[in-house]
Each structure stands twice: as structure tokens, then as C-alpha cells.
Amino acid sequence: MIAQGQALPDATLSQLGKEGMINHKVKELFAGKKAVLFAVPGAFTPTCSEAHLPGYVVLADELKAKGVDIIACVSVNDAFVMKAWGETQNAGEIMMLADGDGAFTKALGLEMDTGAFGGLRSRRYAMVIDDGVVSLLNVEAPKTFEVSKAETILASL
């Protein structure tokens, strides 16, 4: 599993924008920026939709006031699903990034197999990234939601 002090792996994450599909090279996306990246097991799922993403939507301005350039949500879903989920959650300040094949999640070592529920998914986590390097990594224990909350990350900045 990736650790604090390590650079993000080479990977590509997708985002569906107004002009169509954007494929972001992870190293380029986070180069020279302070970012908060949080991951959810699945778009439109209960904890993700009722608490995790909404917390970042509500605290986006406060996170940016602390010097955060990018707030991004990533999930092993496709870009169409991530865009639709972001729209239903009024997540205009959040980059909704798709890790369609789970390659980024696997490169981080943060994948989990949910079997018939959805197969390969991401563990729930949040990280602070400084110029492509993980400066804080909070990974949730199974079936918990504490350390990756927006409030927890905001308090750490």
C-alpha cells in the first residue's frame, strides 16, 4: 500500500467534462498543486452519497481557504456514472474522477474485492497530496467512516 512520503503512481483517471472525456495523467494533474483526494467504494451507494461526498461539498470553500487547489473524488466506476453522481450531489467544486478499470486503485494497493456486490472496488480513504507526493493518508478500517471524512481532513491542514 502507498505510504506517506511516496509519490503517486503513474496512472490515468477519466473525467467527463462539458467538452467530452478528459483523461488525466495523475502525475501531471497533481504536479505543483496541493490536493485532497478521497476514494469511495461506489458512486450512489449509501454512505458515499449520504455522508462522504456531501461532507466535501459542504467544506469545499474551507478546504480551498487552507490552500487546497484540487478536491477530487475517485471511484472504480466509469466517468459517466461519476459525472451523474456529482450532478445529483451538487459537487461542482469536486473533480469527479473515474478509475474505470481500477488500475490506479490497484497501483495504490488500496483495492478490495466486494464479490457479487461490485467486484473490484476501492477501499474508503482520503489523502492530502503535495506536488504529487502523499503527505497524509487516512485509510478506513472495514465498515467504518471516520478518518476519511472532510472534517477530519480539514482539521489536519
Side-chain angles (χ1 to χ4, degrees):
M1 178 172 51
I2 195 163
Q4 290 175 189
Q6 292 183 325
L8 292 173
D10 282 324
T12 301
L13 297 171
S14 301
Q15 179 184 22
L16 188 58
K18 292 178 182 153
E19 299 81 34
M21 192 68 67
I22 304 163
N23 292 311
H24 297 282
K25 298 282 186 195
V26 169
K27 290 198 179 246
E28 293 171 14
L29 179 62
F30 296 113
K33 297 183 179 76
K34 183 177 199 78
V36 171
L37 176 67
F38 65 100
V40 297
F44 293 104
T45 56
T47 301
C48 306
S49 293
E50 295 166 11
H52 208 174
L53 178 56
Y56 284 94
V57 170
V58 168
L59 293 177
D61 289 340
E62 291 181 55
L63 288 161
K64 289 185 175 186
K66 293 275 191 170
V68 173
D69 301 302
I70 297 172
I71 305 166
C73 176
V74 66
S75 184
V76 180
N77 285 111
D78 65 60
F80 296 95
V81 168
M82 292 302 286
K83 181 179 189 288
W85 187 42
E87 288 171 352
T88 67
Q89 295 283 322
N90 297 313
E93 296 296 312
I94 314 295
M95 287 185 81
M96 301 300 287
L97 300 173
D99 183 19
D101 64 357
F104 176 69
T105 300
K106 288 187 255 180
L108 292 174
L110 289 166
E111 76 276 8
M112 65 178 176
D113 184 355
T114 64
F117 171 77
L120 174 76
R121 296 291 177 146
S122 176
R123 293 181 59 187
R124 186 181 305 280
Y125 67 85
M127 62 173 66
V128 176
I129 303 160
D130 289 294
D131 191 21
V133 175
V134 178
S135 58
L136 175 72
L137 176 61
N138 289 357
V139 180
E140 296 286 358
K143 301 189 187 285
T144 65
F145 177 57
E146 293 296 325
V147 300
S148 65
K149 290 180 179 181
E151 298 85 353
T152 303
I153 298 304
L154 180 62
S156 75
L157 296 173

